[in-house]
């Protein structure tokens, strides 16, 4: 994940990274109790990178969607769109949220990071598009 963010230019100025407190996640899927953490990196208050971590079973990126939307709604610049990237290490889901005139969000399809080089290329193109959107005043 770090490599993709570096290739997209998110570690270069003017971007600044801040870390949010981790959130513990516990899900009961009926067969077992899934435990994990959600770690969050924030870039320029416009891109939230949300990483799900679990030991035994990989948690779905969908399980972090409510938390991600809460973070995105707390955007200090509601006049600008904000973006989220949710990953569990295998899958990636992108979110775009706009708040004016009313809050609306769009979701990408789920990208399978290790499926093919084409998937990695598509993810990188989306990150570069987010970079351009964030750079536009």
């Amino acid at each position: 994940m770090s490599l993709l963010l570096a290739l997209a230019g998110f570690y270069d100025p003017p971007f600044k990274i801040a870390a949010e407190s981790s959130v513990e996640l516990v899900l009961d899927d009926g067969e077992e109790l899934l435990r994990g953490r959600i770690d969050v990196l924030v870039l320029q208050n416009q891109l939230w990178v949300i990483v799900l971590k679990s030991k035994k079973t990989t948690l779905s990126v969908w399980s972090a969607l409510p938390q991600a939307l809460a973070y995105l709604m707390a955007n200090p610049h509601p006049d600008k769109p904000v973006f989220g990237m949710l990953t569990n290490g295998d899958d990636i889901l992108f979110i775009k949220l706009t708040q004016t005139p009313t809050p609306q969000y769009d979701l990408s399809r789920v990208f399978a990071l290790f499926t093919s080089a084409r998937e990695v290329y598509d993810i990188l193109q989306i990150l570069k598009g987010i970079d351009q959107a964030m750079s536009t005043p």
Side-chain angles (χ1 to χ4, degrees), residues 35-39 51-55 57 59 87-88:
R35 292 186 178 278
R37 284 187 1 194
I38 299 176
D39 291 334
V51 180
L52 292 120
K53 295 180 180 179
S54 63
K55 291 183 182 175
T57 306
L59 295 170
T87 183
N88 60 7

Side-chain angles (χ1 to χ4, degrees), residues 10 94 108 111 121-131:
F10 286 110
F94 290 97
S108 72
F111 292 89
Y121 177 79
D122 290 345
I123 293 165
L124 187 55
Q125 290 305 109
I126 291 170
L127 286 170
K128 288 186 176 203
I130 290 171
D131 178 15

Side-chain angles (χ1 to χ4, degrees), residues 1-12 124 127-128:
M1 194 53 46
S2 183
L3 179 59
L4 285 171
L5 293 174
L7 288 172
F10 286 110
Y11 291 140
D12 300 329
L124 187 55
L127 286 170
K128 288 186 176 203

